[in-house]
Amino acid sequence: MISFIGAGPGDPELLTIKGKKLIDAADVIIYAGSLVNPEVLSGRKKDAEVFNSAYMDLDEVIAVMEKAEKEGKKCVRVHTGDPAIYGAHREQMDRLDKLGITYEVIPGVSSFLATAAVLNKEYTLPGKSQTVILTRMEGRTPMPPKEKLVDLARHHSTMIIFLSVGFLDEMTKTLIEGGYEPETPVAVVYKATWPDQKIVVGTLADIEAKVKAEGITKTALTVVGDFLGDEYELSKLYDSHFSTEFRKAKD
Ligand code: SAH
């Protein structure tokens, strides 16, 4: 059985206990070396074989998994954050299905959740936004026609943009064109939870210059929306005048 493991955003202590136990017991480790903190592998067996998938194509990754299975070795595939978000994870599972190799998925802390944590923010502020859009810009790989950034912007929701900090100029223009005011707050978080983490805050109008000044060109998330501001309604869940399943209203 292959174990796909979400390694979390960077801080090795943000790996799940289940993920760590599997990594530490593995004979063969394939990890996404461009983003996974090598520290998450620090407890591995001395003789574990380690492969960096940054240098491998899909066939090569599957070949390593297949060989490990044939030899009765435990193989783990370590993805950054959570594999379900831009992990190119499904294509591996489908190939394993065809080969009759079983697998399991151990979720991880996605970078978008680590980003909210380091910003001390909540994405779903009552009265501001109750919807979170995770997306990316059209770069070297196209976006489906109904998911253009300009169309997604019309919802004015909390927006989290992956893989796209290199296109901030076009991104901010498109978001404004789609309906966000130029004053809408934006944060760019580089390497959330890593020792060299950087946080840049601004508005759609000025964030690009600020991010450029910090020299950030990759491994960053751009989060956009009024959730970054200070105006919102208090929740009903903890409202003393509102009854819930567990608590009666006080008047
Ligand atoms: N599966 C990953 C995302 C992989 S796509 C997850 O769940 O987080 C890679 C993109 O994720 C990067 O280009 C960047 O936009 C974002 N990313 C990954 N780790 C990050 C981190 N620690 N801080 C900020 N952004 C990060």
Side-chain angles (χ1 to χ4, degrees), residues 9 35 80-82 85-86 110-111 162-163 189-192 194 219-221:
L35 279 170
T80 177
D82 185 282
I85 308 288
Y86 303 113
S110 178
S111 59
F162 283 75
L163 295 160
V189 178
Y190 169 76
K191 293 184 87 175
W194 287 72
T219 326
L221 282 182

Side-chain angles (χ1 to χ4, degrees), residues 164-212:
S164 308
V165 77
F167 312 99
L168 257 188
D169 180 34
E170 190 190 334
M171 186 198 301
T172 50
K173 281 188 187 134
T174 308
L175 291 171
I176 292 169
E177 185 192 334
Y180 287 92
E181 295 77 24
E183 311 69 59
T184 306
V186 184
V188 169
V189 178
Y190 169 76
K191 293 184 87 175
T193 80
W194 287 72
D196 51 345
Q197 163 186 301
K198 282 184 190 169
I199 297 177
V200 182
V201 291
T203 64
L204 282 178
D206 67 14
I207 194 77
E208 197 226 339
K210 290 181 168 179
V211 167
K212 214 181 221 169

Side-chain angles (χ1 to χ4, degrees), residues 65-85:
M65 292 176 174
E66 205 181 354
K67 181 164 178 279
E69 278 291 301
K70 278 203 181 117
E71 293 173 355
K73 293 179 176 166
K74 175 67 193 177
C75 175
V76 297
R77 170 69 165 112
V78 184
H79 282 267
T80 177
D82 185 282
I85 308 288

Side-chain angles (χ1 to χ4, degrees), residues 2 27-31 49-53 55-77 92 95-96 99 101:
I2 309 291
D27 304 303
V28 177
I29 300 171
I30 310 170
Y31 79 113
E49 284 176 81
V50 180
F51 296 86
N52 181 349
S53 63
Y55 301 109
M56 301 160 81
D57 63 24
L58 178 61
D59 286 341
E60 289 166 340
V61 168
I62 299 300
V64 169
M65 292 176 174
E66 205 181 354
K67 181 164 178 279
E69 278 291 301
K70 278 203 181 117
E71 293 173 355
K73 293 179 176 166
K74 175 67 193 177
C75 175
V76 297
R77 170 69 165 112
Q92 299 173 65
R95 290 282 290 269
L96 294 178
L99 293 168
I101 297 174

